[in-house]
Amino acid sequence: MTADYIIVGAGSAGCAMAYRLAEAGKTVTVIEHGGSDAGPFIQMPAALSYPMNMGLYDWGFQSQPEPHLGGRRLVCPRGKVIGGSSSINGMVYVRGHARDFDHWEQSGAAGWSYADVLPYFKRMESVHDGQDPAYRGTNGPLHISRGPRSNPLHEAFATSARQAGYALTSDYNGAAQEGFGPMEQTIYKGQRWSAANAYLRPAQKTGNVEVIRALALRIVFDGKRAVGVEVERKGARDILRAGAEVIIAASSINSPKLLMLSGIGPAAHLRAHGIEVIADRQGVGQNLQDHLEVYFQMAASQPVTLFKYWKLVWKGLIGAQWLFTRRGLGASNQFETAGFIRSAAGVDYPDIQFHFLPLAVRYDGKAAAEGHGFQAHVGPMRSASRGAVTLASGDPKTAPQIAFNYMSEDSDWRDFRACIRLTREIFGQEALAPFVKHEIQPGAEVQSDAAIDDFIREHAESAYHPCGTCKMGDPAAPDTVVDPQGRVVGVQGLRVADSSIFPRITNGNLNGPSIMVGEKIADAVLGRQLPRDTHAPVMAQDWRETQRSAHM
C-alpha cells in the first residue's frame, strides 16, 4: 500500500496538512497511535480538565526533576488521540504576536515573517464576531468563537486592568494584541472544534485520506531518502511506503524522538543507544521551550463565581443540558477574558499573558479549598531558558527524557516577579473591590523578591506549550533541523511540520500557530505560496518610555 504522502501524527498540524494535500488531489496516509476522539469528555468544552488527565487520551509525559523548581517533575500532556493535543487542550486560540514571526525570519526562517504568515492565519480561520477582515479570516475550516462573558467578574477584571492603566483590545488576534479583552476559543456550535473536526474529517470525506491506528517506530530510508515508516499495529510490524514524502507531525516531544530513533540527531547520542547515524544533526531535541505560569487566586466576597456549579448534581445537569442542546455552561471553556501586557518600559511588545477564570481551580480539576474564588493564570512569554528532549532508550516504546531546564536564567526570575506584582496591582483596583475577599495565593504576605521566588519555585506549572525541538532556520546553521520549507537537513523526502519547528516560542497558546505551520508547509509541499499581506500590527508607540499604554 503506497500513498503519495505519509503523515505521522493526527494532531494540529498533521490534520491541516492532510486536508490541504487531499484538497490538491494527493493521497495521504495518516498514522495515529491514539484512538477515537468521540464522546463528551473531549467534545464538551467545559470538560477540558478530563481528557488531559486521562491515559486513554494523553501520552502521560513528565519532565525530569527540574533543578530550579526544587526538583519537581512537571507533567507535559500531549494528545494521544485523533486530533492530537487539539483534542485535549484548553481550546484557547491565540495566533502569537506579529513580532514573533518577524523574529523567526530574522533568526533564519526565511519566508516566515508576519507578512508571510498572516495570509495563512486568514485562510484557516472562520471568525464569527465581526472582527476586522483586513486581519481575520471568515471562511476557513477552523471556527473560532468567543464566550458569552456573562459572569460579572469578566467585565470587572477588564475594567480593573483599564483602571491600572492598560489598554483594552477588541481583538488580540487582530491589529493590536496588547491590552485586555475577550478571549477566543476553538469552539463551534457549543462543541470543541479540534483539528480533527475542522480538517481531518472533511479530508477523509474526499476519499484521499486514510487514517491508520499504529505506533510509528522509525522512518525507513533508501540511502538518504525517506521512503516509508515502520509501524507496529495489533502486535505486528509493517512498513508503510510513501510515493513522494514522509512528514512528521508528532509533537515537539515525539517528533525529535522519532527523528533520533531513525538515525537523525546528535551522532554520539544516537550511537550510545545503538542507532545507526544517517544524518548528524546536533539540533535535534535541543532548543526545547515552554511557557510557565502560576494561578493567582482570590477568594470572592460574593457568590458570583462558578463554584456553585462544582457540586456533582450541577455537573450532571450542565452535562445533560450540553448533550441535548450544545448550550449552557458546558459549551464554553470558561476562559473568556484575556490580557497581554509588557513587563517593563523598553519591552517593545507584550511578554506577559493572562487567562482569567471566574473560578479558583487547578488544571487537574481540583477546586480551591476556600470555595468561591477567581483566578488569573499569568506567566512570562519569552523565557530565555532552553531544555532538551533526548532518548532514554533505543526502544520506540520508551518515553523520551524531557528536561525543560525551567527558570535557569536570571531574567526568568525578574520577569516572573513582575508578573506577580503587576497581577496583584490589577486585582487591587476599584472595579474588583466589591468581589474581593482576600488573596488565596500567593498570599498577601508574599511580598519580597525571595518570598515571591519561593512561591514560583513551589507553584509554577507548565502552560503545556512545549516547542522548538526541531528548529527551523538557515540550513547552513549547525543547530538547524529543518529548512524554511520544513525539509529535514541532511536527508531527502522527509519534513517536519508541528510546533517542534518553531525557532522561538510565540506569545500565547500554541494550537493556532501549530495549525498555521501545517497550512504553510502543506503549500511548500505543493510548491505554492500565498501572496504576502502587509497589514501591519498596531503597537504601543511609547513602549520605550512606559510599561503600560492606556491607548494603543
Side-chain angles (χ1 to χ4, degrees):
M1 184 189 66
T2 303
D4 296 326
Y5 296 92
I6 293 177
I7 297 173
V8 181
S12 300
C15 291
M17 294 201 78
Y19 177 92
R20 294 300 176 192
L21 294 174
E23 181 185 58
K26 308 299 184 185
T27 56
V28 182
T29 297
V30 179
I31 301 168
E32 172 55 52
H33 186 43
S36 170
D37 61 337
F41 280 134
I42 284 179
Q43 298 301 331
M44 182 169 96
L48 65 92
S49 69
Y50 291 98
M52 71 171 64
N53 290 289
M54 295 171 71
L56 178 63
Y57 301 129
D58 171 31
W59 282 88
F61 295 131
Q62 274 195 324
S63 77
Q64 296 297 297
E66 287 290 334
H68 307 284
L69 294 177
R72 288 191 292 138
R73 296 174 74 110
L74 273 60
V75 295
C76 179
R78 291 293 88 194
K80 186 180 67 175
V81 60
I82 296 295
S85 294
S86 77
S87 288
I88 70 166
N89 69 358
M91 291 156 284
V92 172
Y93 180 73
V94 184
R95 286 174 167 184
H97 195 280
R99 287 286 180 269
D100 291 327
F101 303 106
D102 291 342
H103 178 272
W104 284 14
E105 175 157 90
Q106 290 154 13
S107 65
W112 288 83
S113 71
Y114 180 60
D116 295 304
V117 303
L118 179 56
Y120 288 95
F121 281 120
K122 288 164 74 169
R123 183 174 82 177
M124 73 195 223
E125 291 177 344
S126 200
V127 296
H128 295 273
D129 295 286
Q131 291 92 318
D132 183 352
Y135 292 88
R136 305 304 304 273
T138 53
N139 57 4
L142 188 71
H143 288 279
I144 293 153
S145 60
R146 295 177 173 192
R149 300 181 82 212
S150 51
N151 190 295
L153 287 166
H154 285 291
E155 190 58 40
F157 177 67
T159 303
S160 287
R162 189 170 53 76
Q163 289 170 346
Y166 297 103
L168 300 181
T169 179
S170 61
D171 182 8
Y172 62 77
N173 283 317
Q177 185 186 78
E178 187 167 337
F180 289 77
M183 188 161 251
E184 296 197 324
Q185 314 169 331
T186 47
I187 295 171
Y188 183 48
K189 295 183 177 175
Q191 179 174 333
R192 175 192 289 272
W193 205 244
S194 65
N197 287 332
Y199 287 99
L200 188 61
R201 291 195 173 85
Q204 287 176 285
K205 285 176 184 166
T206 66
N208 289 338
V209 175
E210 181 181 16
V211 179
I212 290 177
R213 187 172 185 185
L215 175 65
L217 304 175
R218 66 182 179 95
I219 309 302
V220 177
F221 287 90
D222 179 1
K224 294 264 187 178
R225 171 164 285 280
V227 294
V229 182
E230 184 179 5
V231 300
E232 182 176 306
R233 48 179 168 165
K234 298 176 182 169
R237 293 195 171 199
D238 193 7
I239 291 178
L240 306 178
R241 299 277 172 181
E245 291 187 22
V246 175
I247 300 157
I248 303 176
S251 85
S252 57
I253 308 301
N254 279 325
S255 291
K257 177 190 171 188
L258 186 57
L259 283 178
M260 288 186 280
L261 290 171
S262 308
I264 301 168
H269 180 59
L270 302 188
R271 291 191 185 106
H273 289 287
I275 296 167
E276 181 189 348
V277 178
I278 289 172
D280 178 9
R281 299 307 303 169
Q282 294 299 312
V284 175
Q286 304 301 304
N287 193 45
L288 175 62
Q289 300 160 62
D290 191 16
H291 289 142
L292 273 183
E293 62 185 13
V294 294
Y295 305 167
F296 200 115
Q297 297 181 328
M298 307 294 284
S301 57
Q302 298 185 40
V304 295
T305 76
L306 298 176
F307 182 71
K308 59 188 169 192
Y309 302 112
W310 216 244
K311 295 184 175 68
L312 203 56
V313 63
W314 270 110
K315 286 185 179 180
L317 289 169
I318 290 166
Q321 180 189 21
W322 180 85
L323 278 170
F324 291 114
T325 69
R326 294 296 191 267
R327 295 179 186 274
L329 284 169
S332 172
N333 59 7
Q334 312 308 330
F335 291 117
E336 296 174 5
T337 301
F340 290 91
I341 66 172
R342 293 172 293 111
S343 61
V347 176
D348 64 339
Y349 71 98
D351 59 343
I352 294 175
Q353 180 186 18
F354 294 90
H355 299 68
F356 180 76
L357 190 64
L359 177 69
V361 69
R362 297 194 329 216
Y363 252 140
D364 61 9
K366 294 188 172 72
E370 301 196 30
H372 278 285
F374 51 91
Q375 69 189 34
H377 299 198
V378 61
M381 290 292 96
R382 292 191 290 283
S383 166
S385 297
R386 296 290 182 271
V389 173
T390 53
L391 295 176
S393 156
D395 179 356
K397 293 182 181 176
T398 301
Q401 290 192 324
I402 305 167
F404 284 100
N405 203 25
Y406 292 120
M407 305 300 290
S408 55
E409 299 287 340
D410 289 344
S411 58
D412 296 341
W413 294 96
R414 184 183 67 239
D415 293 346
F416 227 131
R417 288 179 210 125
C419 289
I420 300 291
R421 291 186 168 122
L422 295 171
T423 306
R424 184 174 273 151
E425 186 184 358
I426 291 168
F427 277 151
Q429 298 298 315
E430 191 180 322
L432 275 168
F435 302 104
V436 168
K437 188 176 175 185
H438 61 262
E439 190 177 301
I440 299 173
Q441 74 171 41
E445 73 287 351
V446 178
Q447 295 288 342
S448 68
D449 283 2
I452 291 173
D453 289 354
D454 286 344
F455 171 74
I456 294 164
R457 207 171 283 115
E458 194 173 334
H459 292 282
E461 296 288 346
S462 171
Y464 310 144
H465 301 160
C467 64
T469 49
C470 299
K471 182 181 179 182
M472 172 172 59
D474 179 348
D479 63 341
T480 293
V481 178
V482 303
D483 73 5
Q485 285 72 48
R487 297 174 297 209
V488 176
V489 179
V491 296
Q492 291 84 48
L494 181 63
R495 297 188 204 234
V496 181
D498 58 25
S499 67
S500 69
I501 75 167
F502 292 12
R504 188 174 73 179
I505 198 165
T506 54
N507 269 11
N509 311 61
L510 300 193
N511 180 232
S514 298
I515 293 172
M516 180 276 291
V517 160
E519 286 264 8
K520 195 167 184 316
I521 290 186
D523 266 14
V525 170
L526 295 166
R528 63 191 192 191
Q529 186 175 331
L530 293 176
R532 298 174 87 240
D533 185 328
T534 54
H535 283 96
V538 174
M539 309 278 286
Q541 296 303 302
D542 54 358
W543 61 268
R544 288 181 182 84
E545 293 78 42
T546 179
Q547 179 261 326
R548 58 196 81 182
S549 294
H551 305 287
M552 295 293 293

